[in-house]
Amino acid sequence: MQSMFDERQWLAWLVKVRIIILTFLLGIELAIARLTPSPFPLRFFINTILLWYTISVFYLLLLSFWEELRIQAVLQVLTDLVLVSLVVYSTGGEDSSLNFLYPLVIIVASVLLPRLWAYLTAALAFILYGAVLELAYFGVIPSYSLSHPELRGFQAIIAVNLFAYVAVAYLAGVLSAKLRQVDVRLKHTSGALENLQALHENIIQSISGGLITTGLDGRITLANTAAQSLLAHREGELLGQAVNQFFLDPLPEVGAGPTHGEVRFLAGNAYRKTFRVMVSALTVPSGGNFGYVYTFDDLTEIRRLEREVRMQDRLAAVGRLAAAIAHEIRNPLTSIAGSVGMLSGISDLSDEHRQLLQIVTRESERLNNIITDFLAYSRGKQYQFQKVDLLPLLNDTLTLLENRLIAQNTGIRIERNYAAEEALALADGDRIKQVFWNFCENAVRAMQGGGTLRIGVEAVGDDWQISFADTGPGINPQIIDKIFEPFQSQFEGGTGLGLAIVYQIVQAHEGKVWARSKPGQGSVFVLRLRRLIAAEGFGRAQFPADPQARAPESMTASAAVGGGPRG
């Protein structure tokens, strides 16, 4: 196996260690030279050390821009051998106490270079050491040795060093090979651990449901991507926060009854969502419980669909009831109205009797209006779908309304906020006008003391969104959840069927309608209809592939039946 360690880092480490050793040696020799007389050439020794310092700094600079690390390692080993030889020569040759530097260079070579280089370095060290000793022994160069051994003793010194260098090369090569193998295994194990950690991280981040872990104190320690999206926060904003503060209802607890439940979440846009939350203890086999794991899913759309199904069932039941009794009530009502009309023609009726007849007539008319609305609600409606521009339909309705408001001096002002020059849709124009008029009528009746009616038109995804916002007193929270159900009028004298008919019309257009309100802050009724792309020609609309995708993302369960999310 080849070593996977960072050669650049090792070479930089070698330079630093070399400088430390040189400084230590320089200090020791200077101290010895000051304390005891020595025949060694101190100036030659100091110059050698300074040269070694300079070469080390050069290698450190060379390391920053030269990428041939193997060649640099060879150069450093060879340079060290030469300079060690000079140091050993200047400190006494065979009497030098610094010949231990040769084994250090051999060990460095075995670490930085292939195993063969350990033996080559040992051989070069032996040659250089032997050359220094023999040249000085035979007087070729000046000798600074204090002892002068006989030839046999001199040869024994050289032989011992040869054996020592070979032994060091062998042991260092074996240990370096083991080190490389351990290093490779460590790298592989570390890589496998990192891959496993990355896999676990990817699994957690890829889970479609939200996942949050907390400590025993309930503060968030981890939140996956889905949790961040559902809670509309970034991970940095969630970490360290108390998990309970994000929900309107208490979270389930471990060991205190059910470990799952439904909680409400108030989004930043004031829309409420419904989450199903499950909690379990976060434990380790030997450490016990040290936190909690919360998983949660968004049930808002499911609860909306359930409410819509219930709404459809109730509307169907009311429709069948209306169809069954409307005609039976209208016939006797007509007889009553005719009889009252004949009685009112009697000339000698007292004022009290005439007032009673007027009450009967007025209540008969009101009952007849209720029956008419009943029939309009229960009968199957015929729709003429065609390409229409919603803006002229809306402007016609608002123009009629403005004229009436001016004539009656109601103090109500109308504001138009159109974000498009045309709003093409496939719709029944007359029915859509009926929807517009009903929303406007309700807004006017809500603003008895005057106010502002703001109508907005904008493109939202694949839909046109038309909103009617008034500045009235708002709608009671208990009413808004079922405002599109029959007989839910909050106005005196109202039948409560107008918005139910609106809901029928919108359903027939495969649209969406909902309301939101805060008491004292007015109400907003929102209508969404599918957009028609003009370039696609008459009768061809661009619809999303998923019908549920057309509902607003933050619509609560009540929005499908008109009782939209309230803030």
Side-chain angles (χ1 to χ4, degrees):
M1 296 182 182
Q2 294 183 349
S3 177
M4 299 175 64
F5 62 78
D6 189 348
E7 289 184 336
R8 184 182 299 276
Q9 183 177 355
W10 274 85
L11 288 172
W13 173 84
L14 175 60
V15 172
K16 296 173 183 177
V17 171
R18 184 187 297 117
I19 292 174
I20 294 174
I21 293 176
L22 292 177
T23 304
F24 178 76
L25 292 178
L26 180 61
I28 292 294
E29 291 298 329
L30 290 177
I32 292 175
R34 179 177 291 274
L35 297 176
T36 61
S38 174
F40 303 150
L42 186 60
R43 181 177 296 277
F44 181 72
F45 173 78
I46 293 175
N47 290 337
T48 303
I49 295 296
L50 293 178
L51 176 61
W52 211 344
Y53 270 126
T54 304
I55 295 175
S56 298
V57 173
F58 170 75
Y59 281 140
L60 192 61
L61 297 176
L62 188 65
L63 190 63
S64 63
F65 61 86
W66 194 24
E67 298 297 330
E68 296 294 338
L69 302 179
R70 181 60 56 85
I71 297 177
Q72 291 189 56
V74 172
L75 290 176
Q76 291 197 37
V77 168
L78 295 177
T79 304
D80 286 343
L81 286 175
V82 173
L83 293 173
V84 166
S85 300
L86 293 176
V87 169
V88 169
Y89 168 68
S90 65
T91 55
E94 66 268 18
D95 293 336
S96 175
S97 61
L98 302 181
N99 58 356
F100 71 90
L101 294 176
Y102 283 114
L104 291 182
V105 176
I106 296 171
I107 292 173
V108 169
S110 67
V111 172
L112 293 177
L113 298 169
R115 191 170 184 177
L116 176 62
W117 273 94
Y119 295 102
L120 292 176
T121 304
L124 290 174
F126 169 72
I127 292 172
L128 290 173
Y129 184 62
V132 168
L133 295 187
E134 290 185 359
L135 290 174
Y137 185 82
F138 293 107
V140 178
I141 57 177
S143 176
Y144 302 108
S145 175
L146 296 178
S147 63
H148 298 281
E150 296 182 356
L151 182 60
R152 288 184 178 275
F154 179 74
Q155 291 174 343
I157 293 174
I158 295 177
V160 168
N161 280 277
L162 172 61
F163 175 77
Y165 294 163
V166 173
V168 169
Y170 172 76
L171 293 176
V174 171
L175 292 177
S176 296
K178 296 293 184 182
L179 176 63
R180 289 184 175 92
Q181 292 177 2
V182 171
D183 184 66
V184 170
R185 293 193 185 100
L186 180 61
K187 292 289 185 180
H188 287 168
T189 304
S190 177
L193 181 61
E194 290 177 358
N195 291 337
L196 183 61
Q197 184 177 2
L199 176 62
H200 289 171
E201 182 70 18
N202 290 335
I203 291 174
I204 290 175
Q205 297 300 333
S206 300
I207 295 175
S208 59
L211 186 144
I212 287 178
T213 62
T214 69
L216 292 175
D217 58 356
R219 296 193 174 276
I220 297 174
T221 57
L222 181 144
N224 69 347
T225 304
Q228 299 168 34
S229 176
L230 291 173
L231 297 180
H233 286 77
R234 292 188 294 272
E235 184 176 13
E237 299 173 344
L238 292 175
L239 298 182
Q241 300 292 324
V243 67
N244 285 314
Q245 73 181 37
F246 295 100
F247 303 99
L248 301 177
D249 304 303
L251 291 171
E253 298 181 1
V254 175
T259 57
H260 60 86
E262 292 186 10
V263 297
R264 293 170 299 166
F265 168 72
L266 186 62
N269 52 10
Y271 289 158
R272 287 191 312 189
K273 295 183 177 181
T274 301
F275 293 154
R276 176 179 57 195
V277 179
M278 300 183 65
V279 60
S280 58
L282 182 60
T283 61
V284 293
S286 58
N289 182 10
F290 67 94
Y292 302 100
V293 179
Y294 294 90
T295 57
F296 52 97
D297 301 314
D298 190 354
L299 300 183
T300 304
E301 185 65 15
I302 295 176
R303 295 295 177 259
R304 184 191 70 80
L305 293 174
E306 290 176 351
R307 292 188 65 115
E308 186 171 355
V309 170
R310 291 195 296 267
M311 177 67 179
Q312 294 285 2
D313 290 342
R314 286 195 294 268
L315 294 182
V318 172
R320 289 191 297 270
L321 176 64
I325 68 175
H327 291 288
E328 298 300 326
I329 295 178
R330 176 163 282 182
N331 289 334
L333 183 62
T334 303
S335 300
I336 292 173
S339 300
V340 169
M342 293 181 62
L343 289 175
S344 61
I346 300 175
S347 59
D348 56 349
L349 288 177
S350 65
D351 292 339
E352 181 180 359
H353 290 162
R354 290 188 182 279
Q355 185 178 3
L356 292 174
L357 289 176
Q358 289 175 359
I359 293 174
V360 173
T361 301
R362 185 170 61 251
E363 293 302 315
S364 298
E365 290 176 353
R366 191 167 74 86
L367 184 57
N368 184 63
N369 291 335
I370 295 175
I371 296 301
T372 301
D373 289 342
F374 253 135
L375 292 175
Y377 176 75
S378 61
R379 287 172 179 167
K381 298 176 177 62
Q382 299 297 323
Y383 294 89
Q384 300 295 326
F385 291 98
Q386 57 184 347
K387 175 183 175 182
V388 297
D389 187 351
L390 300 177
L391 296 187
L393 301 179
L394 186 59
N395 284 328
D396 290 347
T397 304
L398 296 179
T399 299
L400 292 175
L401 181 64
E402 281 179 323
N403 292 331
R404 196 189 80 182
L405 295 177
I406 293 174
Q408 296 177 354
N409 195 22
T410 58
I412 296 175
R413 185 168 54 91
I414 296 178
E415 290 185 2
R416 296 174 173 85
N417 299 311
Y418 298 165
E421 295 182 357
E422 65 177 8
L424 299 179
L426 195 63
D428 185 326
D430 292 336
R431 300 292 184 183
I432 293 300
K433 273 188 176 182
Q434 185 177 354
V435 173
F436 294 160
W437 185 259
N438 196 293
F439 286 155
C440 292
E441 276 289 323
N442 285 345
V444 170
R445 297 178 71 179
M447 296 183 290
Q448 294 294 334
T452 303
L453 173 60
R454 296 180 177 88
I455 291 88
V457 179
E458 61 180 334
V460 178
D462 295 312
D463 299 334
W464 291 114
Q465 178 168 297
I466 306 171
S467 59
F468 298 79
D470 64 60
T471 57
I475 303 174
N476 189 293
Q478 285 73 30
I479 295 178
I480 198 170
D481 278 339
K482 48 188 177 179
I483 196 169
F484 287 89
E485 296 180 11
F487 312 113
Q488 298 300 326
S489 175
Q490 63 174 349
F491 301 119
E492 183 178 356
T495 63
L497 289 171
L499 290 179
I501 295 174
V502 164
Y503 180 81
Q504 278 188 333
I505 295 173
V506 174
Q507 287 291 300
H509 285 76
E510 297 184 2
K512 293 293 178 182
V513 62
W514 69 93
R516 59 177 182 265
S517 176
K518 277 187 177 180
Q521 299 185 20
S523 306
V524 181
F525 285 83
V526 182
L527 169 66
R528 279 196 181 183
L529 296 174
R530 296 184 183 183
R531 284 198 294 159
L532 183 68
I533 305 304
E536 295 186 354
F538 175 77
R540 294 179 60 195
Q542 181 180 2
F543 298 143
D546 182 5
Q548 297 301 334
R550 302 182 54 255
E553 294 179 358
S554 54
M555 186 190 299
T556 65
S558 60
V561 296
R566 60 182 184 274

